[in-house]
């Protein structure tokens, strides 16, 4: 039996159980409201959240402007409307219990503008903001201005120290907690640094201790640490509870809430997760954000993996190393290493006849159909990221100035599509590395789908 006590989160004593925020349209007002109703913390995603018409029907995004900057402004407007709609929905379902948080992707273009718009129009409905995928320096100032608690997502004490010294030391009143997200186990975008080996995961205990030591050193010893990434049941983390080296702790659940009655995840997506085996979730770096991310290996991801495997370095000029000519098209010839010619011929004979240059002095091989779709996706870019490697969009300057990268994809398109009933084979399925446990968890035996209430009852028991 787990001895679990309520703790203070966002100004109220609640169970230290938190729904992880997952976009697009995975964590919403229905799920977050249900978590809060059980006196826990519900979190809805602020990344392209749904909004509704006067009859309560969901409105699907439709971009009408021709210019990308104008489509971006439409995206921002939709995000604010959606954030307010989900906050209102969560509040109504919660019955005033628990806490409601909004989760933001800091690398989202105009994330500050969106967050400010939502907090302004949903005053009193949102109690906290979690934010990661980057270093959200301005988060403390922005949240404090609205009297809302903020929760930076970090993967190390060092990242927290940087944020503290640069910004958060000035806004301590509303620093509600620090989310430590395991960069090897979490789903979606991960905070894995260039100094860390993606193949050599580290246990979180020592990292949590370091975060606690730092919080103690700046007189924030009562500030809870929220453990995220790889959390399935509390029995596996009982040594972390009431542990003086870690201090006050809460647990964030990302994967398990995806299969509940309240979850917006499609039946097809839930079925895939029920069948995932250990090792089917891949930590990779195909995201146009440039961050590592974790997703279920399906047709979509396999094609990206194979495209990367087929990548070949080249030179624009012939030399001793790059001596073999390769005709890209009727007007352009490049030079590759002779040893790579077999790899090239295999791909060309398999139908990957369109040669695309990357920003890194390499080429990859795609089918004409893939290239056509890629160009169409770039033309339809809505500027969702602050900087995008796929479309070369930059919110600051209009363009990154680099070649568009054919090794990546339009992240908004694929996440929005699968989040609204699209193909689970041909879209990206973000997932944590523990998702394979659905297949053996007794709670989900015989494809049983619990309610949020039933899930939380099991979690409280340590199961």
């Amino acid at each position: 039996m787990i001895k679990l006590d309520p703790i203070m989160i966002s100004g109220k004593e609640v169970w230290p159980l938190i729904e992880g925020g997952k976009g697009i349209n995975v964590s919403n007002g229905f799920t977050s409201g249900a978590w809060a109703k059980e006196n826990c913390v519900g979190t809805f995603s602020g990344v392209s959240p749904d909004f509704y018409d006067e009859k309560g029907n969901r409105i699907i995004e439709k971009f009408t402007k021709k210019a990308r900057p104008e489509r971006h402004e439409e995206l921002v407007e939709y995000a604010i409307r959606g954030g307010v709609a989900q906050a209102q929905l969560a509040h109504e379902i919660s019955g005033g219990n628990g806490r409601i948080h909004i989760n933001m992707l800091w690398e989202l273009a105009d994330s500050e503008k969106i967050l400010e718009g939502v907090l302004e129009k949903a005053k009193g409905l949102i109690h906290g903001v979690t934010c990661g995928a980057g270093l959200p320096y301005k988060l403390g100032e922005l949240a404090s201005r609205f009297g809302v608690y903020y929760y930076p997502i970090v993967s190390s004490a060092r990242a927290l120290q940087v944020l503290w010294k640069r910004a958060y030391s000035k806004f301590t009143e509303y620093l509600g907690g620090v989310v430590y997200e395991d960069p090897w186990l979490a789903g979606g975008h991960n905070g894995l640094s260039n100094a860390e080996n993606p193949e050599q995961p580290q246990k979180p205990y020592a990292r949590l201790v370091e975060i606690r030591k730092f919080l103690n050193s700046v007189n924030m010893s009562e500030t809870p640490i929220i453990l995220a990434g790889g959390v399935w049941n509390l029995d596996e983390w009982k040594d972390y509870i009431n542990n003086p080296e870690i201090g006050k702790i809460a647990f964030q659940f990302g994967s398990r809430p995806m299969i509940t009655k309240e979850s917006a995840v499609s039946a097809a997506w839930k079925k895939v997760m029920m069948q995932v085996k250990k090792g089917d979730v891949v930590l990779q770096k195909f995201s146009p954000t440039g961050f590592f991310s974790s997703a279920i290996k399906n047709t979509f991801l396999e094609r990206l993996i194979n495209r990367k495997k087929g990548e070949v370095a080249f030179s624009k000029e012939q030399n001793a190393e790059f001596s073999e000519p390769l005709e890209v098209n009727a007007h352009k010839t490049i030079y590759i290493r002779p040893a790579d010619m077999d790899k090239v011929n295999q791909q060309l004979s398999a139908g990957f006849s369109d040669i695309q240059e990357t920003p890194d002095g390499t080429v990859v091989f795609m089918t004409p159909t893939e290239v056509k779709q890629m160009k169409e996706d770039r033309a339809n870019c809505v500027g969702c990221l602050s900087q995008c490697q796929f479309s070369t969009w930059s919110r600051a300057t209009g363009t990154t100035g680099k070649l568009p990268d054919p090794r990546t994809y339009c992240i908004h398109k694929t996440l929005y599509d699968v989040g609204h009933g699209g193909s689970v084979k041909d879209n990206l399925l973000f997932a944590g590395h523990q998702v394979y446990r659905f297949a053996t968890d007794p709670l989900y035996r015989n494809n049983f789908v619990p309610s949020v209430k039933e899930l939380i009852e099991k979690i409280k028991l340590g199961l």
Side-chain angles (χ1 to χ4, degrees):
M1 180 70 70
I2 298 296
K3 187 181 184 303
L4 198 65
D5 298 315
I7 66 171
M8 189 71 71
I9 296 179
S10 294
K12 185 177 182 180
E13 273 205 345
V14 296
W15 293 108
L17 307 176
I18 300 174
E19 173 196 17
K22 300 167 289 295
I24 296 174
N25 196 53
V26 176
S27 299
N28 60 17
F30 290 103
T31 60
S32 57
W35 274 74
K37 186 176 181 179
E38 300 305 314
N39 205 36
C40 300
V41 179
T43 309
F44 69 88
S45 172
V47 181
S48 293
D50 283 334
F51 54 98
Y52 311 93
D53 63 19
E54 294 178 354
K55 296 182 179 180
N57 299 310
R58 183 169 63 178
I59 299 174
I60 299 299
E61 287 181 347
K62 185 178 180 181
F63 300 94
T64 60
K65 305 297 184 182
K66 290 185 177 181
R68 188 187 305 181
E70 293 176 336
R71 292 197 298 272
H72 168 72
E73 291 304 322
E74 286 183 292
L75 180 75
V76 171
E77 179 186 344
Y78 289 159
I80 293 173
R81 289 177 64 185
V84 173
Q86 297 307 320
Q88 291 171 336
L89 182 60
H91 176 73
E92 291 170 5
I93 293 173
S94 74
N97 296 330
R99 299 281 86 177
I100 302 294
H101 289 183
I102 180 174
N103 181 68
M104 288 296 293
L105 181 82
W106 195 248
E107 281 302 305
L108 189 72
D110 278 325
S111 56
E112 295 172 57
K113 183 177 180 179
I114 293 169
L115 186 55
E116 187 172 25
V118 173
L119 294 180
E120 177 66 40
K121 295 181 179 182
K123 287 183 178 179
L125 304 182
I126 298 172
H127 310 110
V129 181
T130 57
C131 194
L135 291 172
Y137 294 113
K138 296 184 180 179
L139 178 63
E141 178 184 3
L142 194 158
S144 298
R145 188 164 13 112
F146 288 93
V148 171
Y149 292 88
Y150 66 101
Y151 300 80
I153 302 172
V154 300
S155 59
S156 66
R158 180 177 176 276
L160 177 60
Q161 290 169 12
V162 171
L163 289 167
W164 178 268
K165 291 177 182 177
R166 181 163 173 177
Y168 295 171
S169 60
K170 302 174 185 176
F171 304 98
T172 60
E173 182 181 359
Y174 286 100
L175 178 57
V178 176
V179 181
Y180 170 77
E181 187 175 75
D182 189 308
W184 291 276
L185 293 178
H189 291 107
N190 302 337
L192 203 64
S193 72
N194 293 328
E196 293 162 326
N197 188 337
E199 303 296 328
Q200 296 180 359
Q202 298 176 19
K203 296 288 186 182
Y205 188 88
R207 290 181 168 232
L208 294 183
V209 171
E210 287 302 309
I211 290 174
R212 176 56 63 198
K213 286 179 179 177
F214 175 74
L215 289 172
N216 290 345
S217 72
V218 293
N219 299 315
M220 301 292 288
S221 59
E222 294 299 302
T223 302
I225 298 172
I226 299 165
L227 177 60
V231 178
W232 191 267
N233 65 50
L234 294 185
D235 186 61
E236 297 167 348
W237 304 97
K238 57 188 175 184
D239 292 341
Y240 289 56
I241 300 171
N242 297 317
N243 185 317
E245 285 195 305
I246 293 175
K248 288 189 176 179
I249 187 170
F251 297 88
Q252 180 171 300
F253 293 80
S255 295
R256 289 183 89 183
M258 292 181 73
I259 300 185
T260 58
K261 291 176 181 176
E262 292 85 352
S263 172
V265 170
S266 69
W269 193 349
K270 289 175 182 175
K271 184 178 179 180
V272 169
M273 289 190 288
M274 289 282 203
Q275 297 173 344
V276 165
K277 296 179 176 61
K278 191 172 185 178
D280 285 351
V281 174
V282 181
L283 179 62
Q284 35 68 32
K285 209 173 183 182
F286 298 121
S287 170
T289 61
F291 295 121
F292 278 94
S293 65
S294 296
I296 297 172
K297 192 174 182 180
N298 60 358
T299 303
F300 179 89
L301 193 54
E302 284 179 343
R303 182 65 203 110
L304 291 170
I305 291 170
N306 290 331
R307 188 178 300 166
K308 176 66 177 175
K309 286 180 179 178
E311 187 175 11
V312 170
F314 77 94
S315 170
K316 293 181 180 180
E317 303 294 334
Q318 191 173 30
N319 56 47
E321 182 181 6
F322 296 93
S323 58
E324 191 73 34
L326 177 63
E327 188 177 282
V328 176
N329 54 50
H331 308 288
K332 184 176 181 180
T333 298
I334 60 175
Y335 300 90
I336 66 172
R337 297 183 180 97
D340 287 330
M341 202 62 210
D342 283 345
K343 181 194 288 188
V344 170
N345 286 332
Q346 288 174 11
Q347 295 183 87
L348 293 176
S349 64
F352 300 104
S353 56
D354 207 309
I355 304 173
Q356 293 289 313
E357 187 176 343
T358 79
D360 300 321
T362 63
V363 289
V364 294
F365 299 81
M366 304 173 65
T367 67
T369 301
E370 288 174 335
V371 172
K372 181 180 178 182
Q373 185 63 63
M374 180 177 67
K375 290 180 178 179
E376 182 181 320
D377 291 344
R378 285 177 181 153
N380 293 332
C381 172
V382 295
C384 67
L385 300 175
S386 60
Q387 290 193 82
C388 178
Q389 296 179 357
F390 176 76
S391 67
T392 71
W393 154 267
S394 168
R395 181 67 183 102
T397 59
T399 177
T400 62
K402 297 181 179 180
L403 283 175
D405 198 333
R407 297 166 299 186
T408 183
Y409 51 86
C410 176
I411 194 167
H412 181 270
K413 174 192 171 184
T414 185
L415 293 182
Y416 194 87
D417 189 41
V418 77
H420 292 78
S423 170
V424 294
K425 293 182 178 180
D426 301 315
N427 281 304
L428 184 71
L429 298 181
F430 274 153
H433 290 256
Q434 300 281 313
V435 73
Y436 72 91
R437 297 179 66 170
F438 278 121
T440 57
D441 190 322
L443 179 60
Y444 302 91
R445 186 174 292 139
N446 299 321
N447 295 316
F448 175 73
V449 176
S451 66
V452 165
K453 180 181 179 63
E454 289 170 323
L455 173 60
I456 289 174
E457 286 175 351
K458 291 292 184 183
I459 289 173
K460 287 179 181 178
L461 293 172
L463 303 175

